[in-house]
Amino acid sequence: MTAYRFRVKFAPDPTSLWRDIVVGADRTLDEFQTTINAAMGLNQDHLWFFGIDEDYWESDVKYQCPAEHEDLPSGQPMQFGETTDSAGATTVGEMVAQLDLDQYDRICYLFDYGDEWRFYAILKEVVDDPDRRAPEVVKEKGDEIDQYTSAGEDGSPLPDRLQELGLPDTAVPTADLRALEDRDDVAHVIVLLSIETGFGAVSERFMIQFDDVGYLLENSPRGWEVIEEVDGGDKTEEALLSALASAAREWHAEIAEIASAASGQVFDDQTVEAMNVELNQGLERTGYSHL
């Protein structure tokens, strides 16, 4: 039986709040939605739908909550030219086939037509699953939403381990990052996005490996944000670095997908490989070029 791993992201703050959910192809979208809401801290008391990409209300295909779809006269769509289906009668596998989803393609999910809690889900992986798996959260980042505050409020601080580094809110000099390797608790720091300025090279993306945990960080208008945290408690130094490198490559592929959707241009594997150049150089510098 086929299963799908979706990364469900909170649209107003996708790097700080997301859940990886694996769901069997034969499970309904209604089951998938129930798992999303439970994982994100939302109740079930409002209307909702799944749509194409990040189109939300503009999506011309909507998989609606069963109660809403049943109330439509003769299954009429919400607006002209729109196709509607019941999420209770549509399986995840049927949706994937109907929308012709490939790896890294997206669907959107909107909950509560008043407050409009918006999420999008990236199809990260197609896996073989003999157990006909019910939707299950397999990885997560960020605290649950407080449903009765304004959507999009954030302000999650960096973990204490990273705050102790004293990173500035803006891009940090690459020389300062590499100097962190002199600390007893830091194994590796690899710069992923450096920019030459009149004051020297600065970095806006890097990964740092401690003895028991690793982080992939990105600089944003709000300052530094953790894109990925990798637990290294049961990993060797090489295995932890390998997991961080995989997270960085996956993030670069996701960035290319986001840029393609936003600009209408196609950023292909060659673009992603260009983003990985500094990663590969950093791995070579640390003696792990094979990763």
Side-chain angles (χ1 to χ4, degrees), residues 253-279:
E254 189 169 323
I255 290 171
E257 289 293 325
I258 293 171
S260 296
S263 67
Q265 302 180 56
V266 176
F267 296 95
D268 54 14
D269 291 344
Q270 191 171 4
T271 305
V272 177
E273 285 307 307
M275 286 193 283
N276 288 333
V277 166
E278 288 184 285
L279 168 63

Side-chain angles (χ1 to χ4, degrees), residues 6 10 14 33-34 36 44 55 65 88 101 107 133 138 141 156 165 180 202 213 218 224 231 246 254 265 287:
F6 286 93
F10 182 41
Q33 182 272 344
T34 299
I36 293 172
Q44 292 291 105
D55 293 349
C65 65
L101 297 181
I107 57 173
R133 184 184 298 197
V138 296
K141 180 184 176 185
S156 303
L165 301 179
L180 292 175
V202 298
V213 67
E218 176 101 21
W224 288 97
D231 182 9
S246 295
E254 189 169 323
Q265 302 180 56

Side-chain angles (χ1 to χ4, degrees), residues 160-202:
D160 291 343
R161 201 81 168 270
L162 295 174
Q163 290 202 57
E164 291 172 3
L165 301 179
L167 296 173
D169 288 340
T170 56
V172 63
T174 57
D176 291 352
L177 287 177
R178 293 198 174 101
L180 292 175
E181 291 184 328
D182 294 335
R183 293 172 53 121
D184 292 338
D185 60 338
V186 175
H188 303 291
V189 178
I190 294 181
V191 172
L192 302 174
L193 176 60
S194 63
I195 300 171
E196 289 294 334
T197 72
F199 303 97
V202 298

Side-chain angles (χ1 to χ4, degrees), residues 278-290:
E278 288 184 285
L279 168 63
N280 296 333
Q281 291 173 341
L283 291 173
E284 184 174 2
R285 180 179 64 85
T286 61
Y288 291 104
S289 58
H290 58 285

Side-chain angles (χ1 to χ4, degrees), residues 76-150:
Q76 291 298 312
M78 299 170 68
Q79 58 189 18
F80 180 76
E82 181 180 84
T83 300
T84 60
D85 289 292
S86 171
T90 306
T91 67
V92 174
E94 287 170 341
M95 177 197 67
V96 169
Q98 289 166 5
L99 301 183
D100 194 24
L101 297 181
D102 290 322
Q103 188 178 29
Y104 302 123
D105 284 347
R106 300 174 177 221
I107 57 173
C108 56
Y109 166 56
L110 187 145
F111 175 76
D112 185 350
Y113 296 174
D115 287 339
E116 292 196 11
W117 294 94
R118 295 188 177 211
F119 302 84
Y120 62 87
I122 302 168
L123 178 56
K124 302 293 282 190
E125 186 180 11
V126 181
V127 297
D128 290 328
D129 186 77
D131 298 326
R132 303 168 67 87
R133 184 184 298 197
E136 177 186 4
V137 177
V138 296
K139 193 173 185 180
E140 62 184 77
K141 180 184 176 185
D143 295 333
E144 292 182 356
I145 290 167
D146 183 348
Q147 186 170 341
Y148 298 102
T149 61
S150 298

